[in-house]
Amino acid sequence: MNLLAAALLAAALGGGVAWTTPHRVTDAPPRVHEIEGRRYVDQGLVAAGMLPAASVDFLGDTLGSFSSFAVAPGSWRRTADGGYEGVLWTLPDRGRNDPEAGLFYDYPARLERLRMSIAPATAGAIGQVTLTVDGGLELRDADGQPFTGADPDDGVAVRGGIALPVPREGATGAGRISLDAESLQFTADGHFYVGDEYAAHIYYFDAGGRLQGVLVPPPAILPMRDGRPYFSSLKAPHSGRRNNQGVEGMALSPDGTRLFVALQSALVQDSARGDASGRINTRVLVYDVSREPVPKHPIGHHVVQLPAYALAGDGGKADRTAAQSELRALDDHRFLLLARDGNGLGGNAAAPVFKSVLLVDTTGASNLAGSRYETGTGSVLADPAATALKPGIVPARWSELLNLLDPAQLARAGLRLDGVAADDPQRLSEKWEAMDLLPALDPAHPDDWLLLVGNDNDFIARRCVMQGEACDSPLDNDNRVLVYRLTLPRP
């Protein structure tokens, strides 16, 4: 049975696909996947590179990336030697803010600008990705004020009729819009969208980084506590996005008409009671941005059932959700979704169990746009104690396209899954949260693409600086980029 059939069967049985042992790949690429009568090919890892964890950005802070990244429109090109180059804009999140650890910084939101080159592979070695810090862009609100990464706690300010997370007077970042940036997507003219963790808003900026509009999520997704918006990560909301589980994935369709928005895992009202595997039913919204960049309502609203897993060595029930971390659209109904466990460098000490790129197709899935599951806070679950969906709600189907847990391929990039200490920089990082899909520009293979995958290192560095203060960690979690070559069928 292929993974698509397994996913459909699991959905019929009331849950996503689950792994209780490490899901690794052992056969050598290329790997051919026949999905829905179409041929997809994973050609394998073709290049890799890194920036040291202690790298400093254009504002003098430790460069923490990659919560998301995207190559600047018009900058991607093939070089004379068969390599590539382009401008890579990367998105750090909220700085080293960690209220539970007592870390509070008024970290201005920004994009980091990197010059990227990919040298072609040589005999016995994969290509080399070189990243060079090359400035950046501060983000400003409509009044020209910077955003802050500080947690807003219970602070809320209404501006232009929109409730925004704004720390109260006397708190770190007081008066500024709090932004925990997690997803980035450019338009063809250089404007860009940024997805937020705090409010689950999407902020639309011009090419200079000035806020032009706010796409407010439907009532089902807006985090609410005691009858009012609650945007903090300090306490759980009573409905809407879960703590630190906001707009983690976002992408425009290649023609620029559809904006896909994915929550990291299930909403509060869609989370089954019990263990963390109850978070598999996440929501994906689709907006028509062909007429206006900030529409009021989605035209598509679907459920995607994420994989579940158990910690390596447990041998028991899959009791955790492989939350999604990034999205890239192939057309108006298919997209790539990066789902991962919480194991690896910077996270859980257990060996990684699941880190894969899924091919999701919304064709035939229930559209909840305009329904009570969007305009209200009704749950999609048939039973609050289980993950099965209510009768009549059909989830989007998915198949695995790329498995990152390939020991032989990772070794070519100097990374390991086993046999290394928990703080060894060669250990595979926990948070793979960035993707971009770029044409291979190969006339002999016009359907080939390069998929860039990057980790979010959470500013974890032995030598860390934030707003002029030391924020050192006991280990270095380097900023890494892996490059895979894929053959994708045309729409």
Side-chain angles (χ1 to χ4, degrees), residues 77-85 120:
R77 72 180 193 93
R78 192 87 182 260
T79 55
D81 63 357
Y84 300 88
E85 64 182 17

Side-chain angles (χ1 to χ4, degrees), residues 367-408:
N367 187 353
L368 306 180
S371 74
R372 62 190 178 94
Y373 303 109
E374 178 177 282
T375 60
T377 57
S379 174
V380 297
L381 302 181
D383 183 330
T387 56
L389 298 173
K390 288 182 176 176
I393 298 180
V394 179
R397 58 189 183 274
W398 60 261
S399 301
E400 184 182 55
L401 185 60
L402 174 67
N403 185 347
L404 272 63
L405 300 186
D406 182 333

Side-chain angles (χ1 to χ4, degrees), residues 222-438:
L222 192 70
M224 300 288 289
R225 184 180 174 89
D226 297 325
R228 65 187 298 269
Y230 183 76
F231 299 128
S232 176
S233 63
L234 300 174
K235 296 178 183 177
H238 296 150
S239 66
R241 70 101 180 100
R242 293 175 61 92
N243 272 15
N244 296 312
Q245 303 280 296
V247 182
E248 196 77 20
M250 179 181 63
L252 283 167
S253 58
D255 64 5
T257 65
R258 299 291 184 266
L259 181 69
F260 291 80
V261 178
L263 279 294
Q264 189 164 15
S265 72
L267 302 175
V268 172
Q269 62 266 31
D270 295 339
S271 299
R273 293 196 298 263
D275 58 59
S277 65
R279 298 189 288 112
I280 67 169
N281 290 298
T282 195
R283 307 277 190 106
V284 175
L285 308 180
V286 186
Y287 291 89
D288 181 355
V289 293
S290 61
R291 296 179 180 85
E292 54 181 337
V294 186
K296 291 190 179 347
H297 307 290
I299 61 168
H301 186 155
H302 309 288
V303 175
V304 175
Q305 295 193 306
L306 299 168
Y309 69 95
L311 284 180
D314 277 6
K317 176 182 178 290
D319 57 1
R320 290 166 172 81
T321 295
Q324 74 82 21
S325 291
E326 187 60 289
L327 183 155
R328 282 294 177 259
L330 301 184
D331 52 34
D332 64 358
H333 61 95
R334 292 179 305 154
F335 54 86
L336 304 182
L337 197 68
L338 176 58
R340 61 166 182 82
D341 60 23
N343 307 346
L345 186 68
N348 197 298
V353 174
F354 189 94
K355 299 185 194 295
S356 291
V357 176
L358 314 177
L359 173 67
V360 183
D361 193 337
T362 62
T363 303
S366 298
N367 187 353
L368 306 180
S371 74
R372 62 190 178 94
Y373 303 109
E374 178 177 282
T375 60
T377 57
S379 174
V380 297
L381 302 181
D383 183 330
T387 56
L389 298 173
K390 288 182 176 176
I393 298 180
V394 179
R397 58 189 183 274
W398 60 261
S399 301
E400 184 182 55
L401 185 60
L402 174 67
N403 185 347
L404 272 63
L405 300 186
D406 182 333
Q409 293 274 291
L410 291 174
R412 303 178 71 199
L415 296 171
R416 298 173 63 183
L417 296 175
D418 303 300
V420 288
D423 62 352
D424 191 315
Q426 283 193 308
R427 186 173 179 236
L428 186 69
S429 187
E430 170 206 3
K431 292 186 175 181
W432 293 89
E433 294 196 351
M435 289 195 303
D436 204 9
L437 187 64
L438 304 163

Side-chain angles (χ1 to χ4, degrees), residues 178-255:
S178 293
L179 176 62
D180 185 358
E182 293 291 348
S183 47
L184 170 69
Q185 178 66 72
F186 283 96
T187 62
D189 62 2
H191 289 55
F192 56 93
Y193 295 94
V194 171
D196 175 42
E197 194 99 86
Y198 287 132
H201 291 337
I202 295 171
Y203 297 99
Y204 177 64
F205 296 90
D206 65 19
R210 187 76 168 254
L211 183 66
Q212 301 298 300
V214 181
L215 200 161
V216 178
I221 290 169
L222 192 70
M224 300 288 289
R225 184 180 174 89
D226 297 325
R228 65 187 298 269
Y230 183 76
F231 299 128
S232 176
S233 63
L234 300 174
K235 296 178 183 177
H238 296 150
S239 66
R241 70 101 180 100
R242 293 175 61 92
N243 272 15
N244 296 312
Q245 303 280 296
V247 182
E248 196 77 20
M250 179 181 63
L252 283 167
S253 58
D255 64 5

